[in-house]
Amino acid sequence: MTRIGGAEMVDWNLAVATATRLVRPGPEVSRDEARAVVAELRRHARASEEHVRGFTRMGTETAHDTPVLVVDRPGWVRANVAGFRELLKPLLDKMQERRSGTPGGAVLGAVGGKVTGVELGMLLSFLASRVLGQYETFAPATRELPAGANGGGRLLLVAPNIVHVERELDVEPHDFRLWVCLHEETHRTQFTAVPWLRDHLEGEIQSFLGETEMDPMTVLERIREAAQSLAGGRPEGEEGDDSRSIVELVQTPAQREILGRLTAVMSLLEGHADFVMDGVGPDVVPSVREIREKFQQRRARGASRLDLALRKLLGLDAKLRQYKDGERFVRSVVEQVGVDGFNRVWTSPNTLPTKTEIAKPADWVARVHRKSEA
């Protein structure tokens, strides 16, 4: 993991190896059961495409071009490390240049890259047992991680996590698997039906990272802080309400502005997926009401005090708010102007809601609809 000018800031291979070694084993299933789960998830993913496209009226010719990958926890880790590596490359190159000019920078970098790789792996091992599915769009296409021929991403379904949660909630497995696929398929539809969305998000993320001027050791310390929480290394009580997430700790004024836009977009995407799940669910998932109620309770309570502390530090509590705020926005707009009126949100980056409009949907309707009708 070295190159001219010194070692990389993060030993990505070590991050994968660490996460793979530490991640909890999935639920016990026989080989035949595992094959049946994988086959069923693939069938549900195909069926969900038609359900979601019909409900959202977001027709897309390229959705079938993006592969559906049913993965285990290590497979999820590898896909996300590839995506992080691609997204963070400009920032890490910038930090590398800054460090190379300091005495002993190369030696510190070699050690720091491995330490950061281990700690990042610890965090990924924690997250890998919690994610049910994801539309991954940033990692480059490889043989192990194929992507759409037209530059699309891939839909990941994490089979052991889906089985774990359906057992934990004691819900009908076939219904739950379809319900999860409806949510994740909505994300695939969003990105395949809205060609500019991926580049817009990547541009915003790169702008955010480009504004980072902090010392590299401060960034590494934030990762270390989160990893120590995971390992139980933080003293009792340090994870109180005054703690801030990693993202919040690195913000400049310009970053706060960009983060506000990113928060609004992510709230829209997550809320839209929840809205679609609720809209399609009653027609195709017989036990959807029970699933929704139990899953919402699970989201709200978290697993433990440690889980709550980590969610705060990693910003995952903000993601939970995005589901709620975004779903309220989508529902309110659809009630006011219908599905086709809501779909104007996908016209261009200028028609995306602002963070303020997510909380006040009528303001978005007034801005987008009255302006277009004037």
Side-chain angles (χ1 to χ4, degrees):
M1 294 296 297
T2 58
R3 63 183 184 187
I4 297 175
E8 288 192 271
M9 295 291 294
V10 179
D11 189 332
W12 298 105
N13 290 342
L14 186 56
V16 171
T18 301
T20 301
R21 186 176 70 253
L22 296 179
V23 71
R24 296 175 183 176
E28 290 187 11
V29 294
S30 68
R31 184 170 298 180
D32 288 342
E33 287 175 317
R35 289 196 186 104
V37 170
V38 170
E40 183 173 20
L41 286 172
R42 287 176 175 154
R43 289 196 305 272
H44 284 332
R46 287 193 297 270
S48 295
E49 183 179 342
E50 182 177 349
H51 294 316
V52 170
R53 289 176 63 177
F55 183 82
T56 62
R57 302 180 194 170
M58 296 172 68
T60 168
E61 297 282 330
T62 58
H64 64 277
D65 182 49
T66 57
V68 175
L69 307 179
V70 182
V71 299
D72 57 9
R73 290 168 177 174
W76 179 87
V77 167
R78 289 190 292 271
N80 277 267
V81 165
F84 291 155
R85 188 173 188 171
E86 186 73 10
L87 273 178
L88 294 177
K89 187 177 185 303
L91 171 64
L92 295 180
D93 284 348
K94 178 179 177 181
M95 294 168 67
Q96 175 92 6
E97 291 175 7
R98 181 178 299 180
R99 187 191 60 200
S100 64
T102 62
V107 175
L108 289 174
V111 175
K114 292 189 178 300
V115 170
T116 307
V118 169
E119 292 173 342
L120 179 59
M122 292 172 66
L123 294 179
L124 288 170
S125 72
F126 169 81
L127 295 172
S129 63
R130 283 157 173 77
V131 176
L132 301 182
Q134 173 186 354
Y135 185 75
E136 205 298 311
T137 184
F138 296 115
T142 64
R143 185 175 62 181
E144 295 77 19
L145 195 64
N150 296 317
R154 70 286 292 170
L155 180 61
L156 305 177
L157 297 169
V158 190
N161 295 349
I162 293 172
V163 172
H164 171 78
V165 174
E166 70 192 25
R167 291 179 178 178
E168 178 187 334
L169 298 182
D170 190 24
V171 293
E172 212 291 318
H174 306 294
D175 285 2
F176 184 74
R177 294 166 195 174
L178 176 55
W179 188 73
V180 170
C181 287
L182 289 171
H183 182 101
E184 303 307 333
E185 177 59 39
T186 303
H187 289 316
R188 183 164 72 151
T189 296
Q190 290 163 347
F191 281 91
T192 54
V194 185
W196 52 264
L197 184 57
R198 179 198 179 280
D199 289 342
H200 173 72
L201 272 179
E202 183 175 16
E204 291 280 54
I205 292 169
Q206 293 302 337
S207 295
F208 180 90
L209 296 175
E211 291 290 333
T212 300
E213 294 294 342
M214 68 162 44
D215 178 76
M217 293 309 298
T218 306
V219 177
L220 302 186
E221 182 59 32
R222 296 290 76 86
I223 297 175
R224 186 167 296 114
E225 195 175 330
Q228 287 172 350
S229 290
L230 180 61
R234 299 183 76 196
E236 184 76 14
E238 279 197 9
E239 69 280 3
D241 292 338
D242 58 338
S243 63
R244 292 184 292 165
S245 73
I246 292 174
V247 171
E248 290 171 326
L249 286 165
V250 301
Q251 287 181 59
T252 65
Q255 284 178 314
R256 282 193 291 272
E257 182 178 341
I258 298 167
L259 187 62
R261 296 196 297 269
L262 279 170
T263 299
V265 175
M266 297 312 297
S267 296
L268 170 69
L269 299 180
E270 297 294 357
H272 185 230
D274 268 12
F275 176 77
V276 172
M277 270 198 314
D278 287 347
V280 175
D283 292 331
V284 298
V285 182
S287 60
V288 65
R289 182 171 296 182
E290 177 191 3
I291 291 173
R292 181 71 156 148
E293 182 179 349
K294 289 183 175 180
F295 194 77
Q296 288 287 64
Q297 291 172 355
R298 182 181 186 273
R299 267 184 186 171
R301 68 175 179 262
S304 64
R305 185 179 180 187
L306 173 61
D307 188 59
L308 292 173
L310 270 168
R311 286 191 342 193
K312 173 69 176 177
L313 186 59
L314 297 174
L316 301 183
D317 55 340
K319 185 174 178 65
L320 296 179
R321 290 195 299 271
Q322 288 170 7
Y323 287 107
K324 297 177 184 177
D325 296 345
E327 196 274 340
R328 280 194 296 265
F329 170 83
V330 176
R331 186 172 301 280
S332 177
V333 171
V334 170
E335 288 173 353
Q336 294 179 63
V337 296
V339 171
D340 291 332
F342 164 77
N343 280 342
R344 290 192 187 181
V345 77
W346 312 116
T347 304
S348 75
N350 293 330
T351 56
L352 291 172
T354 65
K355 190 176 180 180
T356 300
E357 289 170 341
I358 287 287
K360 297 180 178 180
D363 289 357
W364 180 86
V365 172
R367 175 172 68 88
V368 173
H369 282 266
R370 291 178 187 172
K371 181 178 179 180
S372 64
E373 294 166 2

